[in-house]
Amino acid sequence: PPLTQEHRKDLAKSLGKMAEDAKVALRLARRDANEEFKKQQKDKTISEDDFKRLEKEVQKITDKFVETVDQKTKAKETEIMSL
């Protein structure tokens, strides 16, 4: 049976929750990586410059994947609503 408008809205809402969960997971991974870098810096395994560089690199990667999640979510939401 075809999807009703109400069911489509529910699917879009569920999709939004899944996307937010994915972004939270990405931010947690970023936090874990940064904590590891801080630990290595404290132990003098990496320099201050390396710490800053790694921190920025992880942020760029996180931003890239958050943007990807947003784009895919928007595309799928549009697809759901237009079926």
Side-chain angles (χ1 to χ4, degrees):
L3 293 173
T4 65
Q5 188 68 18
E6 184 177 323
H7 188 51
R8 289 178 192 180
K9 287 181 182 179
D10 289 342
L11 286 174
K13 188 183 285 188
S14 295
L15 177 66
K17 288 178 184 177
M18 285 188 247
E20 189 57 39
D21 290 345
K23 290 191 277 187
V24 168
L26 288 167
R27 289 190 293 265
L28 290 174
R30 178 191 60 198
R31 186 193 70 197
D32 292 344
N34 286 338
E35 286 176 358
E36 180 62 30
F37 299 150
K38 285 178 188 176
K39 180 181 173 197
Q40 289 179 3
Q41 183 191 15
K42 184 179 175 185
D43 295 342
K44 306 289 186 206
T45 310
I46 61 173
S47 68
E48 177 78 23
D49 291 340
D50 287 340
F51 171 73
K52 293 292 184 188
R53 181 183 52 78
L54 290 168
E55 200 173 41
K56 286 179 184 177
E57 192 173 318
V58 167
Q59 184 61 48
K60 281 186 209 174
I61 293 167
T62 302
D63 291 344
K64 177 183 148 195
F65 280 103
V66 166
E67 185 177 332
T68 300
V69 167
D70 286 339
Q71 289 172 352
K72 299 237 181 239
T73 301
K74 187 168 182 65
K76 187 53 105 172
E77 190 174 286
T78 301
E79 180 184 333
I80 288 171
M81 296 307 282
S82 68
L83 288 176

